[in-house]
Amino acid sequence: MDVSARIEAVYAQIVHRNPGESEFHQAAREVLPTLAPVLGAHPEYLDARIVERLCEPERQLVFRVPWVDDDGEVQVNRGFRVEFNSALGPYKGGLRFHPSVNLGIVKFLGFEQIFKNALTGLAIGGGKGGADFDPKGRSDGEVMRFCQSFMTELYRHLGEHTDVPAGDIGVGAREIGYLFGQYKRVTNRFEAGVLTGKPVGWGGSPARTEATGYGTVHFAQEMLRTREKDLDGLTVVISGSGNVALYAIEKVHALGGRVVACSDSSGHVVDPDGIDLALLKEIKEVRRERIAAYTAAKPGAVFSGRGSVFEVPCEVALPCATQNELTEQSAIALVKNGVLAVAEGANMPCTPAAIEIFREADVLFGPGKAANAGGVATSALEMQQNASRERWTFAQTEARLAAVMTEVHTLCRTTADRYDCSPDDYALGANAAGFVRVAEAMAAQGVV
């Protein structure tokens, strides 16, 4: 059986074993064909069935999460943790609390996390988790009781040398605090390295909050430099207005770019003068209002509840909201308006059809597993600080983050070139580079 046929057989097995998990199928379909040059050069990986083992999680946990709301009513949610691959280190990946969370989404995120974590060069494996709980509109007491119930089940599978969760959508410093408190209570251990994304005062890393957004912008800047450009003076559109988007806006502005549009689930706002980050943070982090409130304070800004934020003309687009948000139609609009580069701040925000549009138009495209690796890289740096009982400054951590993103960018290009592909094929470079690091470790560790 030739390499292409073997890859198709693996994909067919994934679909058969994981029925209805469309996001996981999509992630596998995006990665597997790009591995053909690597597998052709390393038939020993085929003999050891590395790909088949890589696509099957080492462990999948699904559990009930009962809790009591403020009205005294019992609520029941479902929790998940997929421990996908530990060849390079303890499982590492965030927890997502959102009504859309199901096993397929957690698997897609965990599968992507394997490659992303490998690209950082740090000793972390891949995993992901979450629950179909929505913290929006819930009181602090309700969120605390949910987190305590969630951790009461999950704690037995965690540990700083086993599995180290972090935050994701719906899981910020508040939720991490409640989760850590319950872990500490039931284990009787202050094991700081078991969760990352903690507040700086008790074991967190400076710049962790900013890391994913900052890292995405660093990656975009590195891509632009390959064409003798940079962000200074360029117009940028960013989807989302959560943690990743906010700090991507901050870094773009620091580098001289101008973000003219951002969004939330209700629509998008356009501000030709450049998004006022202080105002946006007040609306989203303090007042917790919808993005339309931005126009009340900025009369020159316009809100739209229709269409896509990616229809706004720009030279750089950073999708930072959620999976499959940037469609083929949006990609066509971006190309028509002269976009130069797209870097994924979210996980798999561009559909396969959109990615193909960018490839045909010679638009620089940075896949999420490379472009947004700054978040997990800084989480690993937090683990280092916890293990050594040290505290780094913001400047030290940001410098390490910038260095990691530069290394990831270089690795993607050199790997694509090594397998006789264009250095601009960041998707192939990222997938191949991450795969080789994991495959080498798996081969060395035997059939486990």
Side-chain angles (χ1 to χ4, degrees):
M1 184 182 296
D2 65 19
V3 171
S4 295
R6 181 72 167 269
I7 287 172
E8 286 302 313
V10 173
Y11 179 73
Q13 184 180 58
I14 289 171
V15 174
H16 174 72
R17 282 185 165 179
N18 306 276
E21 297 176 359
S22 57
E23 292 85 1
F24 180 36
H25 301 166
Q26 180 183 338
R29 171 57 75 190
E30 185 270 324
V31 169
L32 293 180
T34 65
L35 302 181
V38 181
L39 297 173
H42 297 279
E44 66 272 19
Y45 294 156
L46 290 173
D47 295 339
R49 294 193 175 270
I50 296 292
V51 179
E52 288 88 339
R53 287 193 276 152
L54 188 69
C55 293
E56 184 66 24
E58 293 175 8
R59 188 175 295 107
Q60 302 179 59
L61 309 170
V62 184
F63 51 95
R64 182 179 66 200
V65 187
W67 57 283
V68 179
D69 66 21
D70 287 344
D71 295 325
E73 297 290 331
V74 175
Q75 303 290 336
V76 180
N77 286 98
R78 181 172 288 180
F80 305 91
R81 187 68 178 173
V82 174
E83 297 176 332
F84 227 115
N85 190 283
S86 59
L88 295 178
Y91 309 106
K92 187 82 190 77
L95 297 171
R96 175 176 295 189
F97 290 171
H98 191 273
S100 66
V101 170
N102 57 45
L103 186 58
I105 285 179
V106 174
K107 276 195 207 168
F108 125 64
L109 292 168
F111 185 66
E112 290 277 294
Q113 202 78 41
I114 300 170
F115 299 87
K116 182 187 303 185
N117 294 2
L119 284 172
T120 69
L122 301 169
I124 43 178
K128 205 76 178 184
D132 58 0
F133 168 76
D134 190 355
K136 287 184 179 178
R138 292 293 182 182
S139 69
D140 287 350
E142 288 176 321
V143 173
M144 180 184 71
R145 290 191 291 275
F146 173 82
C147 289
Q148 289 174 339
S149 180
F150 182 88
M151 183 55 77
T152 298
E153 173 58 35
L154 187 61
Y155 86 93
R156 68 196 77 224
H157 303 285
L158 305 183
E160 60 185 4
H161 302 297
T162 306
D163 187 349
V164 182
D168 195 86
I169 294 172
V171 179
R174 174 182 62 172
E175 289 76 16
I176 291 293
Y178 294 147
L179 291 165
F180 183 81
Q182 186 69 357
Y183 181 87
K184 180 166 65 74
R185 182 182 189 183
V186 297
T187 63
N188 194 35
R189 295 194 302 270
F190 192 102
E191 193 176 329
V194 76
L195 283 166
T196 59
K198 302 180 294 295
V200 175
W202 48 276
S205 173
R208 176 59 188 92
T209 302
E210 296 85 355
T212 306
Y214 277 21
T216 301
V217 176
H218 279 303
F219 196 90
Q221 179 85 309
E222 292 295 327
M223 289 199 301
L224 289 167
R225 284 173 175 162
T226 66
R227 298 189 179 179
E228 299 182 347
K229 297 181 182 294
D230 61 34
L231 282 162
D232 190 18
L234 297 188
T235 300
V236 182
V237 162
I238 294 179
S239 66
S241 51
N243 181 71
V244 179
L246 290 174
Y247 291 102
I249 294 171
E250 184 170 282
K251 182 54 70 173
V252 168
H253 287 173
L255 294 175
R258 181 166 53 97
V259 179
V260 296
C262 59
S263 64
D264 66 11
S265 58
S266 68
H268 64 274
V269 65
V270 181
D271 188 343
D273 295 330
I275 295 295
D276 184 330
L277 183 59
L279 173 60
L280 185 61
K281 283 185 176 182
E282 180 187 346
I283 290 169
K284 303 306 292 187
E285 296 185 330
V286 180
R287 290 153 49 184
R288 298 187 182 275
E289 294 179 348
R290 309 309 289 161
I291 203 166
Y294 183 94
T295 60
K298 289 292 294 292
V302 177
F303 170 78
S304 175
R306 304 177 66 180
S308 168
V309 69
F310 299 112
E311 294 170 5
V312 179
C314 64
E315 292 152 304
V316 177
L318 306 177
C320 295
T322 191
Q323 65 265 14
N324 291 325
E325 58 170 314
L326 202 164
T327 63
E328 179 180 13
Q329 182 178 357
S330 297
I332 291 171
L334 284 168
V335 170
K336 181 180 178 181
N337 288 325
V339 72
L340 302 173
V342 177
E344 294 185 322
N347 294 306
M348 205 170 72
C350 297
T351 65
I355 296 170
E356 187 58 32
I357 294 293
F358 296 141
R359 182 176 290 113
E360 291 174 357
D362 197 29
V363 172
L364 293 165
F365 172 71
K369 60 176 64 68
N372 69 42
V376 74
T378 308
S379 285
L381 299 180
E382 181 176 331
M383 292 167 65
Q384 288 184 18
Q385 293 172 73
N386 294 156
S388 62
R389 299 290 196 270
E390 292 181 345
R391 180 182 293 181
W392 300 348
T393 65
F394 187 98
Q396 286 175 306
T397 308
E398 188 182 5
R400 289 289 303 275
L401 167 64
V404 167
M405 295 311 297
T406 299
E407 290 166 6
V408 169
H409 176 267
T410 300
L411 179 62
C412 291
R413 292 184 66 84
T414 56
T415 302
D417 184 62
R418 182 180 304 123
Y419 291 104
D420 298 323
C421 297
S422 167
D424 287 346
D425 193 342
Y426 290 95
L428 184 144
N431 292 336
F435 172 76
V436 168
R437 283 181 169 170
V438 177
E440 288 177 349
M442 291 178 68
Q445 294 167 22
V447 181
V448 294

